[in-house]
Amino acid sequence: MTTRTPLMAGNWKMNLDWKQGLALVEELGEQLKDVDTSKVDTVVLPPFVDLRTVQTAVDAGKLPIAYGGQDLSAHESGAYTGEISGQMLTALGCTFVAIGHSERRQYHGETEELTNAKVKAAFAAGLTPILCVGEPLEERQAGKQVEYSLAQVEGGLEGLTAEHVAVSVIAYEPVWAIGTGEVATPDDAQEVCAAIREWVRAKHGDTAADAVRVLYGGSVKSSNVAELMEKPDVDGALVGGASLKAEEFAKIAGYQG
Ligand code: PEP
């Protein structure tokens, strides 16, 4: 039995303008009334341009929803056209930020070094990073999922203290399971999530390993979340498609029944 609070994070990706985002977050607040939100952290990661609206809705309705960015700049401020800094996110009440999502790595050429710099920028701004790792299909077929994912964990967390690692969130998202409907089996998820925790234990000690939250992501739905959550090293889920429907995402957050 874990003492870690489960965390369900909804990654809206490049979906929903601010009006649609407002409707979703208000409806999610409504749906979460049926969920014991003291037992689960519910987080949404809207597009940047929706954040101000989400902040207003969450504050006005005192909704049990935390929110954050899907990315941030590695830089603090300055001449970086198109970028958003960690401080800009915290100024909007964000508490989380996703870093190194496979879509950032794949379509924006994000390297391990950049991912690591972004994790450090998140901490510098007072944000909790959700570091995303996970293997592509060919690595899985070659049986290298653990080795591949751990190399990304090591790269992303390079130079961090045990205290920072303890409060980090690491999301294991096998690339072949993202947006494909192809969910990893609970045993597949457990294998890599456990290996991540053991890597943290070896490098940063028991306190960090027992505290760090390791999520699974990849085609999570209300119909499969409970069996994934039964695994001892799966502390929650990073959810894409299913987080765009309030009722469905609330059911995921309320997986305990
Ligand atoms: C994701 O975007 O991180 C994700 C896991 O997407 P989906 O749930 O749609 O597979």
Side-chain angles (χ1 to χ4, degrees):
M1 236 343 237
T2 173
T3 53
R4 298 175 288 275
T5 304
L7 190 159
M8 301 298 174
N11 174 16
W12 295 2
K13 310 197 189 193
M14 196 174 73
N15 294 297
L16 311 182
D17 63 25
W18 71 268
K19 285 185 192 161
Q20 296 165 321
L22 175 61
L24 177 59
V25 86
E26 284 181 340
E27 176 60 16
L28 181 59
E30 211 37 52
Q31 297 283 338
L32 286 173
K33 287 186 176 153
D34 298 331
V35 172
D36 182 354
T37 49
S38 67
K39 292 204 179 125
V40 60
D41 290 339
T42 308
V43 178
V44 295
L45 306 173
F48 289 133
V49 292
D50 296 4
L51 283 170
R52 176 68 174 141
T53 312
V54 166
Q55 176 190 35
T56 308
V58 166
D59 287 355
K62 297 193 176 28
L63 306 180
I65 302 170
Y67 52 90
Q70 298 171 15
D71 185 32
L72 84 172
S73 173
H75 302 283
E76 251 177 63
S77 65
Y80 300 101
T81 302
E83 295 275 77
I84 300 291
S85 74
Q87 183 277 330
M88 291 171 181
L89 294 177
T90 38
L92 283 168
C94 290
T95 47
F96 290 90
V97 62
I99 296 173
H101 190 281
S102 65
E103 289 151 17
R104 302 290 320 164
R105 296 178 191 260
Q106 193 178 344
Y107 306 133
H108 301 272
E110 294 203 1
T111 61
E112 233 57 271
E113 268 175 9
L114 182 59
T115 299
N116 180 237
K118 289 185 175 190
V119 169
K120 289 175 176 160
F123 276 119
L127 295 162
T128 297
I130 303 175
L131 172 66
C132 305
V133 303
E135 80 286 354
L137 185 60
E138 69 247 33
E139 304 292 334
R140 159 72 50 176
Q141 285 168 340
K144 294 194 173 149
Q145 61 275 11
V146 169
E147 180 183 333
Y148 189 95
S149 302
L150 291 187
Q152 290 184 328
V153 171
E154 186 165 14
L157 299 182
E158 173 66 35
L160 292 194
T161 62
E163 288 71 25
H164 274 157
V165 173
V167 295
S168 295
V169 178
I170 302 172
Y172 167 56
E173 299 205 299
V175 177
W176 49 270
I178 298 179
T180 58
E182 192 85 30
V183 65
T185 67
D187 286 340
D188 289 340
Q190 169 62 16
E191 179 196 31
V192 181
C193 291
I196 291 171
R197 194 176 313 285
E198 286 322 300
W199 180 89
V200 171
R201 194 176 305 284
K203 174 99 179 167
H204 294 288
D206 287 340
T207 308
D210 293 337
V212 66
R213 286 188 284 185
V214 184
L215 315 183
Y216 165 77
S219 299
V220 173
K221 302 187 250 332
S222 61
S223 57
N224 59 27
V225 66
E227 59 186 20
L228 288 158
M229 291 302 291
E230 271 172 22
K231 294 295 170 186
D233 290 295
V234 178
D235 301 320
L238 183 51
V239 184
S243 73
L244 298 174
K245 293 176 209 119
E247 195 183 348
E248 174 68 1
F249 191 50
K251 276 191 196 158
I252 291 172
Y255 71 97
Q256 284 162 319

